[in-house]
């Protein structure tokens, strides 16, 4: 997993190469091995510098999400998740404060925890690899970078350029990462390790992070300045407009950066861990991780990942959406109100209704408050249609129904899909709400509600 070689100049080459995997990932065994090896190299007087490299074509693909086991489920709490992720945070911090200059030499892709590890190094070089991408995509799974990403990235490149990367999970090419200042240097693949050695021998790599020096300030306006306040205000407005408060990770990331940059790095990392713990324990993160990661991986292995926009599931969900929207219109709701309600809950495919004037923003709190219940009613109708397709065998599994409903019918990602939405609310409560809406409940779902069952197992939900 980890091997170290010390050359005649005292430079230690620490190579990550996880056996049996096409890409390196971070798990608890790797975290512990890294902590122990860094402690050993730090204590070795022969070592003058450290290069962290990969034995594979990529650097580190991110964290192995199997580490979520033990963070959630019966007997755990947000504090449990916060304390568990601390092992990774502490290992990276040990690397950062080992007293020796450390260079990250990335042969290829570094995502999530892989980029967080690079950010904890004092100098970052990447190979000119057209396939390599760099980023912190945790927000796409309903969580935030929990091993220093929300704190080190803005300290490296500044608040304004860091926020979009954190809030969108955007992936950068090596050239883009270099232009932003995330990388310090690019090298030809066959010169990567030599370039890292040159950076160390030429004295270009400090033995400490800049934020550990007294008086450090991130690039750009200080977090306490009016200019920075305006950046946060704009980002917050954009988050609320696009996410409609369906994605807790968006607001958590903003708060995490805002609070953390006012603190020394160790206290800031604690703030990050606390936000991480609360997000991981939330329904949205659990649903998104299950569907967007585990279910998609499983379907890809089975060759069932591709959704058919004209297939039975997508057609049934769209028909149910349109039918329920027409029923709501017959009850006196305007087409614009119904479409706005659909947008509020995150439907990317709006119901087909006669177009009228767009519903203007209003100061009427009652009208605003009515949008979300109306939107959830639309989701319930679609979820019933998805459950019926599973009953008929039009889809092979609950996971397939969830993934394909998101991809082909515009079901909101934050729910994890229609059957995940039912599980999150609880089948009995969901069925009661549907019957109150006078919606027909499929036989299979009625049985699940009666028996206290669910579409996804508890273990699967807590993965």
């Amino acid at each position: 997993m980890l091997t170290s070689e010390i050359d005649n100049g005292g430079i230690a080459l620490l190579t990550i190469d996880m056996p049996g995997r096409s890409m390196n990932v971070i798990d608890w065994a790797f975290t512990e091995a890294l902590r122990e090896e860094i402690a050993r190299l730090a204590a070795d007087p022969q070592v003058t510098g450290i290069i962290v490299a990969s034995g594979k074509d990529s650097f580190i693909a991110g964290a192995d999400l199997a580490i979520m086991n033990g963070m959630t489920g019966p007997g755990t709490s947000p504090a449990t998740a916060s304390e568990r992720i601390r092992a990774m945070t502490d290992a990276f911090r040990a690397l950062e404060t080992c007293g020796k200059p450390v260079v990250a030499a990335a042969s290829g892709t570094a995502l999530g925890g892989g980029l967080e590890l690079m950010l904890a190094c004092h100098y970052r070089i990447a190979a000119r690899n057209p396939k390599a991408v760099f980023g912190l995509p945790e927000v796409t799974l309903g969580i935030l970078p929990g091993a220093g990403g929300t704190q080190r990235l803005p300290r490296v490149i500044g608040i304004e350029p860091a926020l979009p990367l954190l809030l969108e999970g955007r992936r950068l090419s090596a050239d883009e990462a270099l232009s932003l200042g995330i990388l310090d240097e690019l090298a030809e693949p066959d010169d990567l390790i030599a370039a890292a050695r040159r950076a160390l021998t030429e004295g270009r790599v400090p033995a400490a992070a800049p934020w550990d020096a007294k008086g450090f300030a991130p690039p750009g306006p200080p977090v306490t300045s009016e200019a920075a306040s305006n950046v946060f205000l704009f980002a917050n407005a954009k988050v609320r407009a696009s996410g409609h408060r369906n994605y807790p990770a968006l607001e958590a990331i903003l708060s995490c950066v805002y609070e953390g940059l006012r603190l020394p790095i160790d206290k800031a990392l604690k703030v990050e861990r606390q936000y991480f713990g609360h997000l991981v324990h939330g329904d949205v993160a659990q649903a998104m991780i299950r569907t967007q990661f585990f279910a998609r991986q499983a379907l890809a292995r089975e060759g069932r990942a591709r959704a058919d926009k004209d297939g039975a599931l997508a057609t049934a969900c769209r028909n149910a959406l349109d039918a329920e929207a027409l029923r709501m219109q017959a009850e006196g709701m305007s087409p614009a109100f119904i479409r706005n309600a659909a947008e509020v809950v995150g439907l990317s495919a709006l119901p087909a209704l006669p177009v009228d004037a767009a519903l203007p923003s209003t100061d009427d709190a009652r009208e605003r408050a009515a949008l979300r219940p109306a939107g959830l009613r639309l989701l319930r109708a679609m979820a019933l249609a998805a459950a019926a397709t599973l009953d008929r065998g039009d889809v092979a599994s609950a996971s397939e129904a969830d993934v394909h409903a998101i991809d082909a019918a515009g079901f909101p990602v934050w729910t994890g899909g229609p059957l995940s939405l039912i599980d999150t609310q609880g089948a009995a409560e969901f069925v009661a709400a549907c019957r109150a809406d006078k919606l027909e409940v499929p036989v299979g779902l009625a049985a699940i509600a009666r028996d206290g069952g669910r579409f996804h197992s508890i273990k699967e939900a807590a993965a």
Side-chain angles (χ1 to χ4, degrees):
M1 183 187 302
L2 291 178
T3 57
S4 293
E5 297 177 11
I6 303 173
D7 67 14
N8 293 332
I11 295 174
L13 176 61
L14 176 58
T15 303
I16 305 163
D17 197 347
M18 301 191 80
R21 291 184 180 264
S22 60
M23 301 179 80
N24 294 319
V25 293
I26 297 173
D27 58 16
W28 298 131
F30 168 82
T31 300
E32 180 61 19
L34 177 67
R35 188 190 63 77
E36 291 178 354
E37 189 60 15
I38 291 301
R40 188 183 72 80
L41 294 174
D44 187 342
Q46 182 186 349
V47 174
T48 59
I50 301 169
I51 299 170
V52 181
S54 168
K56 302 183 187 296
D57 291 339
S58 60
F59 186 65
I60 298 176
D64 181 351
L65 287 188
I67 66 173
M68 293 296 177
N69 289 317
M71 288 191 187
T72 59
T76 65
S77 68
T80 307
S82 176
E83 190 58 31
R84 286 290 284 162
I85 201 66
R86 182 175 180 173
M88 195 180 301
T89 305
D90 286 353
F92 291 1
R93 187 67 174 135
L95 172 71
E96 189 171 61
T97 60
C98 71
K100 309 284 174 81
V102 182
V103 177
S107 49
T109 290
L111 292 172
L115 183 56
E116 288 179 292
L117 175 57
M118 292 188 72
L119 291 170
C121 296
H122 306 124
Y123 195 83
R124 291 166 289 279
I125 304 178
R128 296 186 185 277
N129 180 345
K131 295 182 180 180
V133 289
F134 301 83
L136 298 170
E138 285 85 349
V139 69
T140 63
L141 297 176
I143 55 178
L144 56 73
T150 68
Q151 301 309 311
R152 292 190 179 95
L153 185 63
R155 283 169 168 81
V156 170
I157 65 173
I159 298 167
E160 191 166 8
L163 285 180
L165 301 180
L166 290 164
L167 295 170
E168 298 167 17
R170 189 158 60 93
R171 301 180 182 205
L172 305 170
S173 67
D175 285 324
E176 289 173 321
L178 178 69
S179 66
L180 281 172
I182 296 172
L183 297 175
D184 296 296
E185 186 181 340
L186 296 182
E188 295 304 321
D190 58 0
D191 190 46
L192 177 64
I193 302 304
R197 284 198 169 96
R198 287 195 297 272
L200 288 166
T201 57
E202 292 170 9
R204 288 185 276 129
V205 185
W211 39 87
D212 281 320
K214 187 175 181 179
F216 166 78
V223 68
T224 54
S225 69
E226 183 179 353
S229 294
N230 289 336
V231 169
F232 279 107
L233 284 171
F234 176 78
N236 191 52
K238 186 176 180 181
V239 158
R240 292 193 178 191
S242 62
H244 297 288
R245 294 193 167 180
N246 293 316
Y247 297 90
L250 295 174
E251 293 181 16
I253 287 169
L254 280 173
S255 297
C256 200
V257 174
Y258 182 78
E259 294 172 28
L261 287 184
R262 294 165 177 263
L263 298 169
I265 187 67
D266 288 309
K267 290 183 178 179
L269 293 172
K270 181 178 180 181
V271 168
E272 180 186 78
R273 290 195 301 270
Q274 290 171 337
Y275 275 105
F276 175 86
H278 282 282
L279 284 174
V280 166
H281 266 260
D283 290 335
V284 171
Q286 287 291 293
M288 289 178 68
I289 290 169
R290 175 176 56 231
T291 300
Q292 296 295 91
F293 186 80
F294 289 111
R296 288 188 184 278
Q297 278 197 335
L299 291 176
R301 288 193 296 268
E302 298 166 6
R304 305 183 67 89
R306 184 165 182 164
D308 183 357
K309 292 189 177 181
D310 297 317
L313 176 89
T315 301
C317 286
R318 286 196 301 268
N319 288 344
L321 172 64
D322 292 344
E324 189 61 15
L326 286 170
R327 204 160 69 93
M328 291 162 69
Q329 185 181 5
E331 293 172 9
M333 300 181 199
S334 75
F337 178 86
I338 296 167
R339 290 170 71 86
N340 283 0
E343 288 183 347
V344 161
V345 294
L347 273 163
S348 60
L350 301 182
L353 286 168
V355 177
D356 62 0
L359 186 68
S361 60
T362 174
D363 292 330
D364 187 337
R366 288 177 300 176
E367 192 166 79
R368 288 202 313 272
L371 284 171
R372 190 165 189 83
L376 291 174
R377 180 172 162 182
L378 295 171
L379 296 188
R380 284 195 290 271
M382 294 178 73
L384 290 176
T389 63
L390 184 63
D391 277 1
R392 294 193 298 267
D394 294 332
V395 290
S397 65
S399 292
E400 184 175 321
D402 281 340
V403 169
H404 290 192
I406 289 171
D407 291 349
F411 208 81
V413 176
W414 65 267
T415 64
L419 305 189
S420 284
L421 177 66
I422 295 172
D423 281 349
T424 296
Q425 185 173 356
E429 185 179 338
F430 183 88
V431 165
C434 290
R435 287 175 173 155
D437 291 336
K438 298 182 173 56
L439 292 167
E440 184 177 349
V441 177
V443 173
L445 174 56
I448 288 174
R450 183 187 63 245
D451 299 337
R454 50 187 297 127
F455 289 102
H456 301 278
S457 71
I458 293 288
K459 182 179 179 181
E460 183 184 359

